[in-house]
Amino acid sequence: MLVKLAWRNIWRNKRRSLIVTGSVVVGVVALIFIDGLNNGFLSQMLFNQVNLNISHIQIHKKGFNDNKVIQSFIPDKAKVERILAHNKKIVHFSERVIAFGLVSSAISSSGVYILGINPDDEAKITTISKSIIKGEYFSGKQREIVIGNKLAEKLKVGLGGKVIVLSNRPDGSIGSEVFRVTGIFKSPNSEFNKAYIFVPIKTLQNMLGLGNKIHEFAIITTDYKVTEDVKNEIRNQLDESYEVLSYRDILPLLIMQMELYKETIYIINLIIGLALLFGIINSMLMAVFERINEIGVLMAIGMKNGKIFTMILLESLFIGLLGTALGLITGIGLTELISIHGIDFSLFAESLENWGIGAVIYPKLTLENLIAMLFMIPFITISGAVYPALKAIKLEPVYAISYV
Amino acid sequence: MEILRTENVNKIYEDNKVPVHALKNINLKINKGEYVAIAGPSGSGKTTLLNLLGTLDKPTSGKIYFENSDFTSKSRKELSEFRLRKLGFIFQAYNLIPVLTALENIEFSMMLLGVPEKERRERAKNLMAELGIDGLANKRPNEMSGGQQQRVAVARAIVNNPRIVLADEPTANLDSENGSKLLDLMEKMNEEKNITFIFSSHDKQVIERARRLILLKDGRIVSEN
Amino acid sequence: MKLLLKLAWRNIWRNKRRSFLTLLAISFATTAAIATRGMQLGTYAVNIDYAVNMFSGYLQIQREGFQENPSLNKAFKLNKLILSILKKNNRIKSWSPRVLADGLISYKENSQGAAIFGLNPQTEKHTTKIFTRIKKGKFFESDSSNEIIIGYKLLQNLKAGIGDTVVILSQGFDGSLGNLKFVIAGTVKFGSPGIDGMGVFMPIKTAQELLALYGRIHAVVINLYDTYEIEKTKELLSEKLHGTGLTVLDWGEIMPDFKQAIELDNVSGILMLFILMVIVAFGILNTVLMSVTERFREFGVTLAIGMSQIKLMILVFLETVFLTLIGIFLGNVAGYFINLYFVRNPIEFSGELSSLYEEYGFLPVIRSTLEPSIFLNISIAVLLISLFVTIYPVYKVYKLEPLKGIRYT
């Protein structure tokens, strides 16, 4: 009964109710959109890095991640391979040799991270093979090298050009080799494009006298959500001389930023809610004052204060729910639509590419945040009705009935 | 001397999509200085007629002349000016502006005309004294009784020396004593200042005291004297 | 007009509670806007100041194309022309030459990537504050010794110590590889992972020797007296250097990602505020609309007695203007005090949050500013939005006919 009353009461003043609902819709759509963008932003940052290079899990000799020296090889390669092969949750893994060195062309030189990879394995776990913009990935010949577009520009080399790569051998001497550029890649991360080069693992091992030693296993699991479990499983099977790191361990700052963001979105929800609050309080106040006579009559015929209070709160709740529902539909629809093409932020391209996000951002929605909104906004609309509702039940029936 | 004339005036309006022929072929003449009451049962069209005479509404057909000038064809702006200078209104209720004092309410239309402050103030004060309401000068409407409000309304209506004062059910919300007092006041103004008064009312007192009575029934004039 | 003003003013206070709530909403929006913009812009200023004074300088002279593609051979000689231009311009406080290259630094079996900066300590001291970042040890005094200062993280990674000898390898101007021995004289801490983990500062003449530059440099870093002179000075210098193949860059062009990061934050801040104001605008709309429709009877009477439509519209308009102005005023006062507090007591982060900021090249500080343009711009924006919102209610008054008003229920 109360519900019916409350619902109908809203529509007595259509214009007012529509305006308040309108403000809730605007608030919700804005929140969804902001959330979508920020999420897209952060996810892109994370997943670009994971897919490009970091993968889900990395295994090294203990201490390698903090100090990437050439001498820190994986103690027992075969053992790790056996463990990884047996883990059903691992989709694929790849071996890498990692060294820091110098790459030089006739024109210029640059400091780079040299990654010695097995092209086929690597193609299954990272997106480098798909990021080739000129030339091709590896064809299996020795001394092929794949470099980033920014690096190619700096060195002024093109396809087929020759470069020299230098690095330290474990014994301290310098190892070098001449390579031929077979492919040029472009990733969303401009730093990566400048600083990473790929060569066949065997060639690098020979150049640096490593035999068949490697520095890193990069692993992709079935789903990023099981990563921590898999990491622990591997951890338990290896001794202290290894470090097993998930992408969360390798990018602690990014993970922290994402956690921080979850709290930030609550605050943003709150601020927008507060802005809505004023409009709602005012509106409900007027809705109450317009009906003083009527409320007086209701009280006179015996409707209890509690019921009147609830009725007014319900009216506000309905407006809040209506606005939130409409806002969710519009907001989600809008965001999904935009996420097809993404938003071009090329005005900020350099900055974004520096952070590895890429100049186009695809908004992304999370269920968590949407649900939070679904509860927060109606809650705020109810709060807005409390003061007016209190005023209503404080009325004296006798005066209320004849109020003019 | 004729001041107001209607020729075959008809008014049809829509009440929830149902057309209502409120006034049918009204022909009447009112002379300067007259004290006229338009009376009739509910729905007879008296308020409608008063509104037409006061330029607040336009007839569906027919013409209305004020001092021989056809004002059915005037624009909204012209009519507004006209009302300000030549007409005075007293409504049943809500006559006064709530945030102004009685004095200020009376000064209001003079302010709209741009009358200088000193003159305004004097004229308003004098009028209030004449009407015996100078004690209310600094009170706001919500501080006055219904009868007092209506008397202030009369002052407001005549302070600009209008040609005609139109009063729509002015005594409807008053008890008989206050109603009588109000009518005394208006008669006095009519006699002393030769202002034409046109009422619409179904109040017995008003009808009894009217010098000329126009009776309406179903939109037509059934008798007049 | 005076009448209208008086009426408008009194009308606002008829419904005190409603007016009060509306005022609160407007003040809230204004204060929130001033506080957040203050913090945003204040913090940018701190960061820009820091970056500019610390490292990049306000302007730099470089070879055309060097910024986009920093290759070693885009170098130039500090000839008489440039020297005289620099000397003659009185907005320039000081300047310092730099050499920039990549290399490899090795200590025993450890080698790490190095970002090499060749500096003249005497001129650099007056131009930037690099010298204040010394953590351990001492900065080199001469422009030709073999002492180097490296990032403290780099020292850690090399597993070296102050006083140790290292080898630096790099490719020279002529394409050959050169290497020289250096002694680590000290470490620096910038809070920027790039410099702390890879930075190597060496005397400029030694760098030129290592890189076979024969006296060439890559950049002239310029310090000005006044931040507001950047544009002007840049123009002047560019004119004088026209045709020499050299170009003048401001800090935004030297650190485009930094500038854009600031811009991105700026834009998102403005967007948020705009949304906030739109929501408050809805509330104002409702309030004004209601206060107008409530008074239709009164308006009807007023129009009947001959007040012109326009005057009535102006009246309603004035009411909103008054309310808005009061709200804006209150908001400005509150905002001023909030900003003042955060100017005197900036928020400083520590721990993880601090590292996050540094990772992005920002100082872990939030500070506000009392820059007048913030207060002005926000006040104007709130005023305009309020006025825009009034259009509909005023339109309703425009359409009102006396009879309709009088009969309104």
Side-chain angles (χ1 to χ4, degrees):
Chain A
M1 183 59 211
L2 268 185
V3 171
K4 190 154 59 167
L5 254 184
W7 175 257
R8 292 193 194 174
N9 276 334
I10 300 178
W11 301 115
R12 287 165 76 147
N13 190 327
K14 284 208 198 86
R15 180 175 47 224
R16 180 173 64 214
S17 296
L18 281 174
I19 291 183
V20 179
T21 309
S23 71
V24 175
V25 170
V26 167
V28 171
V29 170
L31 277 172
I32 292 181
F33 194 67
I34 292 175
D35 187 42
L37 268 183
N38 272 310
N39 253 326
F41 204 76
L42 290 171
S43 314
Q44 269 170 244
M45 231 196 295
L46 179 63
F47 290 116
N48 280 345
Q49 296 228 48
V50 165
N51 294 333
L52 194 56
N53 186 35
I54 304 216
S55 309
H56 290 145
I57 301 176
Q58 289 179 359
I59 305 178
H60 318 117
K61 174 161 182 203
K62 197 168 186 68
F64 183 74
N65 198 41
D66 292 327
N67 193 6
K68 296 190 167 75
V69 287
I70 189 90
Q71 297 89 349
S72 295
F73 328 118
I74 298 259
D76 187 344
K77 195 172 92 157
K79 177 172 177 194
V80 179
E81 277 174 17
R82 274 199 303 275
I83 296 174
L84 296 181
H86 274 110
N87 194 314
K88 297 258 164 35
K89 296 198 203 93
I90 294 180
V91 169
H92 211 83
F93 63 90
S94 167
E95 306 177 338
R96 293 169 177 168
V97 168
I98 302 175
F100 192 90
L102 213 59
V103 64
S104 315
S105 67
I107 310 291
S108 185
S109 62
S110 189
V112 290
Y113 278 100
I114 313 168
L115 290 176
I117 56 165
N118 189 322
D120 298 323
D121 287 335
E122 194 72 21
K124 297 203 181 89
I125 67 168
T126 68
T127 52
I128 275 299
S129 51
K130 302 189 197 84
S131 310
I132 306 279
I133 55 170
K134 268 202 201 138
E136 48 171 22
Y137 193 46
F138 292 95
S139 61
K141 299 206 195 97
Q142 290 273 29
R143 302 201 204 93
E144 286 176 326
I145 187 171
V146 170
I147 64 177
N149 62 340
K150 286 260 178 242
L151 185 58
E153 268 173 53
K154 182 176 179 184
L155 298 176
K156 287 220 180 2
V157 287
L159 293 177
K162 288 212 184 83
V163 294
I164 300 181
V165 176
L166 290 172
S167 185
N168 268 69
R169 294 210 177 97
D171 62 5
S173 63
I174 304 276
S176 70
E177 184 60 84
V178 176
F179 289 87
R180 168 94 56 103
V181 176
T182 153
I184 297 180
F185 69 83
K186 180 173 180 187
S187 76
N189 188 330
S190 61
E191 280 306 304
F192 194 81
N193 297 343
K194 270 189 228 161
Y196 281 75
I197 62 176
F198 294 88
V199 297
I201 192 168
K202 271 257 155 280
T203 318
L204 191 57
Q205 284 166 332
N206 288 338
M207 175 180 130
L208 300 177
L210 295 174
N212 69 343
K213 298 227 181 12
I214 62 169
H215 296 103
E216 177 174 279
F217 278 97
I219 300 162
I220 292 284
T221 59
T222 51
D223 187 299
Y224 74 92
K225 293 190 189 112
V226 304
T227 304
E228 291 297 311
D229 294 330
V230 175
K231 168 186 144 187
N232 290 328
E233 286 168 23
I234 303 175
R235 174 74 272 175
N236 290 334
Q237 295 175 291
L238 291 172
D239 62 47
E240 282 299 296
S241 58
Y242 293 88
E243 60 183 22
V244 184
L245 305 167
S246 71
Y247 65 90
R248 300 178 69 93
D249 303 318
I250 299 174
L251 301 169
L253 290 176
L254 184 53
I255 300 296
M256 190 186 87
Q257 195 176 1
M258 294 176 92
E259 306 282 302
L260 200 68
Y261 175 68
K262 284 203 188 116
E263 287 164 40
T264 313
I265 197 70
Y266 274 114
I267 297 180
I268 298 181
N269 259 307
L270 207 68
I271 294 179
I272 291 197
L274 215 68
L276 287 171
L277 202 65
F278 295 106
I280 291 173
I281 295 182
N282 243 342
S283 173
M284 291 312 294
L285 264 179
M286 280 176 264
V288 162
F289 273 86
E290 273 174 9
R291 293 180 280 160
I292 287 188
N293 312 74
E294 196 181 308
I295 295 176
V297 170
L298 286 174
M299 284 175 159
I301 65 177
M303 187 169 179
K304 293 219 183 82
N305 279 354
K307 289 226 160 74
I308 295 183
F309 188 82
T310 311
M311 179 181 81
I312 296 176
L313 249 58
L314 275 178
E315 287 170 26
S316 200
L317 178 62
F318 281 144
I319 290 186
L321 285 175
L322 191 65
T324 307
L326 284 175
L328 277 174
I329 297 175
T330 317
I332 294 178
L334 199 71
T335 311
E336 286 302 310
L337 209 72
I338 295 183
S339 66
I340 296 180
H341 286 296
I343 302 186
D344 191 358
F345 275 81
S346 40
L347 219 61
F348 306 100
E350 263 133 320
S351 185
L352 292 170
E353 279 171 6
N354 213 17
W355 298 332
I357 300 174
V360 180
I361 300 201
Y362 299 87
K364 200 176 136 172
L365 298 169
T366 56
L367 199 60
E368 244 180 274
N369 294 340
L370 288 177
I371 293 186
M373 219 179 297
L374 201 58
F375 285 103
M376 264 202 106
I377 304 290
F379 176 71
I380 288 176
T381 53
I382 296 184
S383 330
V386 167
Y387 172 61
L390 282 175
K391 282 233 143 296
I393 61 180
K394 287 217 181 101
L395 294 170
E396 285 271 3
V398 169
Y399 292 118
I401 293 176
S402 50
Y403 179 84
V404 149
Chain B
M1 204 185 80
E2 183 190 282
I3 192 169
L4 204 55
R5 182 175 84 239
T6 71
E7 281 179 7
N8 288 329
V9 159
N10 281 281
K11 179 70 184 172
I12 303 174
Y13 64 84
E14 271 199 20
D15 185 15
N16 282 334
K17 310 261 179 181
V18 177
V20 177
H21 201 153
L23 292 174
K24 303 170 183 156
N25 280 322
I26 303 288
N27 286 290
L28 67 86
K29 289 198 181 86
I30 297 180
N31 290 319
K32 196 158 191 287
E34 285 208 57
Y35 191 83
V36 185
I38 303 174
S42 268
S44 54
K46 51 187 190 300
T47 301
T48 311
L49 180 57
L50 199 74
N51 286 335
L52 287 178
L53 293 178
T55 77
L56 294 177
D57 203 356
K58 286 204 169 153
T60 314
S61 71
K63 291 215 199 294
I64 306 181
Y65 295 88
F66 176 84
E67 287 178 346
N68 271 312
S69 154
D70 174 11
F71 65 53
T72 34
S73 55
K74 294 218 168 120
S75 72
R76 198 161 76 152
K77 202 161 160 218
E78 289 170 310
L79 289 176
S80 182
E81 241 327 85
F82 174 71
R83 287 198 296 272
L84 187 60
R85 291 177 191 278
K86 305 269 170 87
L87 300 182
F89 285 89
I90 302 169
F91 296 97
Q92 185 174 331
Y94 304 105
N95 272 295
L96 307 175
I97 297 176
V99 295
L100 296 179
T101 63
L103 186 63
E104 288 167 340
N105 262 293
I106 296 171
E107 288 185 343
F108 189 66
S109 28
M110 286 191 277
M111 282 192 241
L112 288 176
L113 280 175
V115 174
E117 193 180 335
K118 211 155 160 239
E119 192 189 324
R120 279 203 313 255
R121 185 83 9 133
E122 242 188 270
R123 276 166 65 179
K125 283 211 166 124
N126 288 340
L127 190 57
M128 286 187 95
E130 242 191 277
L131 299 176
I133 49 171
D134 42 344
L136 300 172
N138 292 323
K139 293 206 171 169
R140 289 199 183 189
N142 61 355
E143 294 167 325
M144 297 186 243
S145 72
Q148 290 171 325
Q149 283 183 41
Q150 292 301 70
R151 272 183 279 166
V152 175
V154 171
R156 199 258 322 267
I158 64 176
V159 76
N160 257 341
N161 294 318
R163 300 278 201 278
I164 306 178
V165 168
L166 301 122
D168 188 5
E169 310 270 9
T171 57
N173 286 0
L174 305 175
D175 60 49
S176 56
E177 192 189 324
N178 276 309
S180 179
K181 278 201 193 144
L182 192 68
L183 291 173
D184 289 340
L185 196 57
M186 291 197 276
E187 278 167 28
K188 188 168 167 219
M189 291 299 104
N190 170 250
E191 278 161 25
E192 286 178 12
K193 299 187 194 268
N194 209 26
I195 300 174
T196 313
F197 268 79
I198 307 178
F199 294 75
S200 107
S201 187
H202 62 259
D203 186 343
K204 246 174 111 181
Q205 266 196 87
V206 175
I207 294 172
E208 279 167 8
R209 290 165 69 155
R211 294 209 203 99
R212 177 178 168 195
L213 187 63
I214 298 177
L215 271 176
L216 286 183
K217 191 169 175 210
D218 294 329
R220 282 183 217 277
I221 299 179
V222 292
S223 90
E224 58 171 307
N225 53 3
Chain C
M1 194 35 152
K2 226 175 111 181
L3 169 66
L4 290 177
L5 286 171
K6 178 158 69 172
L7 266 179
W9 178 257
R10 291 197 198 176
N11 276 335
I12 298 176
W13 303 116
R14 279 162 85 152
N15 189 328
K16 292 210 182 69
R17 184 169 24 222
R18 179 166 64 202
S19 295
F20 180 68
L21 274 169
T22 311
L23 269 182
L24 210 62
I26 298 178
S27 312
F28 169 71
T30 311
T31 309
I34 291 177
T36 47
R37 287 303 282 162
M39 282 198 234
Q40 276 189 306
L41 296 176
T43 309
Y44 299 157
V46 168
N47 276 293
I48 293 174
D49 235 33
Y50 178 77
V52 161
N53 281 314
M54 187 54 61
F55 205 75
S56 74
Y58 291 85
L59 296 170
Q60 282 190 14
I61 301 178
Q62 298 174 355
R63 273 286 290 276
E64 259 162 43
F66 181 73
Q67 181 61 29
E68 296 86 49
N69 243 326
S71 86
L72 190 73
N73 32 19
K74 292 211 180 87
F76 58 99
K77 277 211 160 120
L78 204 57
N79 56 27
K80 286 210 189 85
L81 174 66
I82 304 178
L83 283 170
S84 75
I85 294 174
L86 288 171
K87 205 153 171 217
K88 289 213 185 105
N89 193 314
N90 53 8
R91 289 191 185 85
I92 295 181
K93 187 167 164 201
S94 56
W95 56 269
S96 186
R98 284 210 194 141
V99 163
L100 305 159
D102 285 331
L104 217 55
I105 180 171
S106 320
Y107 176 68
K108 300 209 179 134
E109 313 92 38
N110 289 331
S111 44
Q112 297 285 334
I116 301 170
F117 298 90
L119 326 161
N120 179 330
Q122 303 309 323
T123 54
E124 192 74 33
K125 242 193 278 206
H126 299 290
T127 312
T128 67
K129 298 208 180 105
I130 294 183
F131 283 62
T132 60
R133 306 306 296 184
I134 195 104
K135 190 165 186 236
K136 274 214 193 109
K138 254 178 62 176
F139 231 96
F140 45 86
E141 298 280 314
S142 120
D143 63 353
S144 56
S145 67
N146 71 338
E147 297 161 291
I148 57 170
I149 304 290
I150 66 177
Y152 77 100
K153 280 212 187 114
L154 181 55
L155 186 76
Q156 279 171 20
N157 288 343
L158 281 176
K159 294 212 190 14
I162 307 220
D164 286 339
T165 307
V166 295
V167 174
I168 298 188
L169 181 78
S170 188
Q171 188 182 35
F173 192 73
D174 51 4
S176 65
L177 287 170
N179 63 7
L180 281 177
K181 288 212 176 91
F182 293 87
V183 174
I184 302 179
T187 56
V188 277
K189 179 172 178 168
F190 272 81
S192 155
I195 300 191
D196 293 341
M198 287 179 51
V200 173
F201 298 93
M202 63 170 68
I204 192 168
K205 291 214 172 106
T206 323
Q208 286 166 331
E209 198 193 312
L210 173 67
L211 302 163
L213 282 169
Y214 296 104
R216 293 188 187 82
I217 60 172
H218 292 111
V220 175
V221 176
I222 299 174
N223 193 355
L224 301 174
Y225 284 107
D226 194 339
T227 333
Y228 295 101
E229 297 285 332
I230 295 184
E231 268 308 304
K232 260 273 190 70
T233 317
K234 181 178 168 188
E235 257 178 63
L236 273 166
L237 289 175
S238 301
E239 247 182 78
K240 296 244 165 88
L241 289 170
H242 187 69
T244 56
L246 297 176
T247 171
V248 184
L249 305 158
D250 60 51
W251 65 267
E253 292 165 308
I254 297 169
M255 301 182 283
D257 39 338
F258 179 62
K259 180 159 196 217
Q260 283 175 1
I262 290 182
E263 254 320 286
L264 193 59
D265 190 78
N266 196 23
V267 165
S268 49
I270 295 179
L271 196 68
M272 256 296 291
L273 281 179
F274 180 69
I275 292 174
L276 213 71
M277 299 216 195
V278 166
I279 294 178
V280 170
F282 271 89
I284 298 177
L285 176 65
N286 236 350
T287 305
V288 176
L289 211 53
M290 260 171 280
S291 91
V292 161
T293 52
E294 262 175 21
R295 290 181 286 162
F296 268 179
R297 257 186 248 165
E298 180 189 325
F299 286 167
V301 169
T302 312
L303 287 172
I305 68 180
M307 186 185 221
S308 74
Q309 213 83 19
I310 306 233
K311 286 214 172 90
L312 197 60
M313 287 162 68
I314 295 180
L315 177 65
V316 170
F317 182 73
L318 281 176
E319 288 169 17
T320 313
V321 169
F322 278 147
L323 260 184
T324 307
L325 287 177
I326 298 176
I328 292 179
F329 175 72
L330 291 173
N332 268 292
V333 169
Y336 177 79
F337 282 110
I338 294 180
N339 283 11
L340 185 64
Y341 178 76
F342 283 110
V343 166
R344 301 234 179 105
N345 306 289
I347 305 176
E348 289 183 35
F349 299 122
S350 55
E352 282 185 337
L353 199 51
S354 166
S355 319
L356 183 60
Y357 269 77
E358 287 172 357
E359 179 78 11
Y360 282 92
F362 290 101
L363 293 171
V365 168
I366 294 187
R367 193 166 182 251
S368 188
T369 168
L370 294 173
E371 177 73 32
S373 66
I374 296 181
F375 296 85
L376 195 66
N377 289 337
I378 289 175
S379 300
I380 293 180
V382 174
L383 187 63
L384 285 178
I385 292 179
S386 261
L387 296 183
F388 179 72
V389 151
T390 324
I391 293 179
Y392 182 56
V394 166
Y395 172 73
K396 283 214 103 39
V397 171
Y398 170 73
K399 285 247 121 169
L400 186 66
E401 272 168 59
L403 272 188
K404 291 216 183 98
I406 295 171
R407 293 204 195 117
Y408 186 78
T409 37

